Amino acid sequence: MQVTIEPGWKAILKEEFEKPYFIDLAEFVKSEYTSTKCFPPGKEIFSAFNHTPFDEVKVVIIGQDPYHGPGQAHGLCFSVGENVAVPPSLKNIFEEIRTDIGSPIPQNGNLERWADQGILLLNATLTVRAHQAGSHQNKGWGKFTDAVIEKLSEKRDGLVFMLWGGPAKKKGAKVDTSKHLVLTSGHPSPLAANRGYWFGNKHFSKTNEYLKEKGEKPIEW
């Protein structure tokens, strides 16, 4: 697997790419993409990093697996292409934004506009087999994305980490809360949201208030 990634990230993660586990992971991913249908398309595996350079990250949202249906995943967590139906979790995210800060519901689920404002839309696992959720977990991606979060926590200041649901909270457990804002809530999936664990968390207004306090431009959600 040829890693084509934004230069700032490439420098920060250089040692990670050279570790045995990542070399094994790269071989696994290459084999999977050669032998079966996988998502996202190969050139979009590192889209989150290419849209949001290391030095421009302001907010980190952590997802789990890429979507595993045709045409959905394009390398940004929770995001789908413009001509794809908006998934239920993303609908609930948009609804919380609407009630929190009054922004209208977007016409589509493409979150590239967020990524280009400094929101790292990071899935814990960056690839998946078509129609097989979790099929590329425990192959090394988790270790890699843990390193990404660790580097951001260590080398940057004043970031917002949005941790939605148990796995994301676990993933971000080591973020340095003395220098970053960590916001936690239930997952926006219908199951959690309908039980009262998502709506009303006001993460989007809280994020913008924090960014303004830090002298940063708020996000246009």
Side-chain angles (χ1 to χ4, degrees):
M1 179 176 62
Q2 180 64 40
V3 178
T4 304
I5 196 168
E6 185 270 329
W9 281 110
K10 192 167 190 175
I12 289 290
L13 298 170
K14 182 177 182 295
E15 290 181 8
E16 216 61 32
F17 293 136
E18 295 168 354
K19 290 180 179 177
Y21 88 86
F22 192 88
I23 294 168
D24 290 344
L25 169 64
E27 284 300 313
F28 167 77
V29 171
K30 185 178 178 181
S31 172
E32 285 283 283
Y33 272 71
T34 302
S35 63
T36 188
K37 185 71 174 172
C38 296
F39 299 119
K43 64 182 185 354
E44 296 180 342
I45 292 172
F46 293 99
S47 281
F49 303 90
N50 293 328
H51 274 281
T52 314
F54 182 80
D55 291 335
E56 295 176 22
V57 175
K58 295 157 111 176
V59 180
V60 182
I61 297 178
I62 300 175
Q64 297 310 308
D65 249 23
Y67 298 119
H68 52 83
Q72 292 181 302
H74 63 145
L76 308 176
C77 74
F78 293 103
S79 180
V80 292
E82 290 180 11
N83 299 316
V84 179
V86 177
S89 291
L90 186 53
K91 282 184 180 177
N92 286 338
I93 291 170
F94 287 160
E95 179 59 27
E96 175 59 24
I97 291 170
R98 186 187 69 79
T99 56
D100 183 14
I101 59 176
S103 295
I105 302 287
Q107 296 298 306
N108 62 70
N110 190 332
L111 303 181
E112 286 179 358
R113 59 193 176 80
W114 287 9
D116 293 339
Q117 292 180 77
I119 302 178
L120 182 67
L121 295 165
L122 181 68
N123 273 318
T125 300
L126 299 190
T127 57
V128 68
R129 270 191 185 188
H131 311 297
Q132 295 184 41
S135 50
H136 286 185
Q137 290 179 6
N138 304 315
K139 301 295 184 181
W141 279 130
K143 195 169 183 179
F144 174 73
T145 50
D146 281 347
V148 169
I149 294 164
E150 186 182 318
K151 296 289 186 187
L152 286 165
S153 177
E154 176 192 330
K155 296 183 179 294
R156 294 291 313 279
D157 289 292
L159 302 183
V160 181
F161 288 82
M162 293 180 163
L163 310 179
W164 301 335
K169 291 173 190 173
K170 188 176 178 182
K171 192 90 179 155
K174 292 182 180 177
V175 172
D176 186 348
T177 54
S178 70
K179 53 192 281 203
H180 303 289
L181 175 64
V182 176
L183 299 173
T184 62
S185 80
H187 195 274
S189 68
L191 186 66
N194 294 339
R195 290 178 175 172
Y197 299 133
W198 166 256
F199 292 116
N201 66 29
K202 298 190 181 297
H203 280 190
F204 306 95
S205 57
K206 288 174 181 176
T207 293
N208 279 353
E209 286 163 14
Y210 181 79
L211 291 174
K212 284 190 276 190
E213 285 172 11
K214 296 288 182 181
E216 295 280 357
K217 186 179 178 183
I219 303 297
E220 292 182 21
W221 296 105

